[in-house]
Amino acid sequence: MKRVTLPGGETVTALGQGTWMMGEQPAHRADEIAALRAGVEAGMTLIDTAEMYGEGAAERLIGEALGDRREALFLVSKAYPHNADRDRLPKACEASLRRLGTDRIDLYLLHWRGGVPLAETVDAMEQLREAGKIRHWGVSNLDTEDMEELVAAGGSGCATDQILYNLSRRGPELDLLPWLGAQGITAMAYSPVEQGRLIGNPTLARIAESLSATPAQVALAWLLRRDGMIVIPKAGSEAHARENAAAADLVLDDTALQELEAAFPAPRSARPLEML
Ligand code: NAP
């Protein structure tokens, strides 16, 4: 499995697992646990979650599914913007730790920008890091101007920006991704198969067939070919988790890349960062 180097030198798997909408329906629980375990077995040891997902249900599911594999994992969780101040962030972090059944979060993110001044969030994150509750911190859904403000507010310790980026959402290519690259901040692509909407795309289907792959694998391989990009598809079944993990071995040839470029052209001018 390809690995990505975080600022500071630690490496993580380029392909991880998302958990939005997981842990919310009892009828799906067994399949979701099996999916997460199969994904970890297949090498997708970075797990992305948030206190928002099912109001803690996704974090609890991870604790139940993977508690016995903690040492192998790199756990990412996110705090609500309204919890990102000096008083609330430590409490939100403790609650996430309890639900995850662990003593540290590997990467803790501000889920999106809210009303709390960025300098205060930076300070609260750094204090959690010094206390050993989190190992790295970062942000999500911050566009270039917000990132510039974050760094100016003392946030040069930010490890990642988790953003909406996939074949059908190429806006960040013109400004945010180059900016993150220049700063040495790792980008993490969420909704990499556009929440399933890319799966039925005829171009993806045609390319997938020609490569003996699946549309999901083509969409993931397209993201994974970028150096330093972490990609976090969510799978609700063992079959999807294994299929997604195998995308790490898929190489897109020049013909496939040209066809994808024609079907999903790069933006011609900068666009505001989108979010889901
Ligand atoms: P996604 O990963 O693009 O798509 C998930 C959907 O695609 C599910 O319906 C899943 O179905 C389906 N799928 C996955 N693999 C498949 C495969 N191999 N074949 C066919 N269908 C497949 O969307 P997402 O869940 O929005 O994004 C991924 C993760 O990013 C989230 O779970 C979350 O952790 C994170 N995220 C973060 C933010 C943020 O604001 N920071 C926002 C959105 C998402 P099944 O469930 O049936 O497998």
Side-chain angles (χ1 to χ4, degrees), residues 3 10-13 16-17 36-37 39-41 43-48 59 61-76 100-102 104-107 135:
R3 296 185 75 83
E10 182 171 348
T11 66
V12 295
T13 51
Q17 303 187 71
L36 286 171
R37 288 184 178 157
V40 167
E41 262 170 41
M44 297 189 295
T45 50
L46 181 149
I47 313 291
D48 179 76
E59 290 179 327
L61 182 85
I62 292 166
E64 185 182 331
L66 300 172
D68 57 341
R69 305 293 318 275
R70 176 65 186 97
E71 295 312 315
L73 304 180
F74 187 91
L75 290 178
V76 184
L100 287 162
T102 185
R104 78 252 177 230
I105 290 171
D106 296 297
L107 173 62
R135 298 181 50 249

Side-chain angles (χ1 to χ4, degrees), residues 177-276:
L177 286 175
W179 188 90
L180 291 172
Q183 297 286 322
I185 297 175
T186 304
M188 199 182 286
Y190 75 68
S191 304
V193 296
E194 185 62 22
Q195 300 190 319
R197 290 181 288 275
L198 277 172
I199 304 292
N201 180 276
T203 304
L204 279 187
R206 199 175 50 250
I207 295 171
E209 201 183 344
S210 74
L211 297 172
S212 303
T214 67
Q217 289 172 331
V218 173
L220 296 173
W222 181 83
L223 288 164
L224 286 167
R225 85 197 194 297
R226 272 189 101 98
D227 273 344
M229 176 72 65
I230 298 172
V231 184
I232 48 168
K234 173 256 176 183
S237 68
E238 254 184 276
H240 282 172
R242 288 191 209 287
E243 183 182 320
N244 293 348
D249 298 324
L250 178 63
V251 178
L252 301 176
D253 56 25
D254 286 347
T255 313
L257 288 172
Q258 279 160 17
E259 276 189 65
L260 288 170
E261 194 62 36
F264 302 97
R268 286 167 187 270
S269 55
R271 291 186 204 148
L273 182 65
E274 299 170 281
M275 69 182 277
L276 289 174

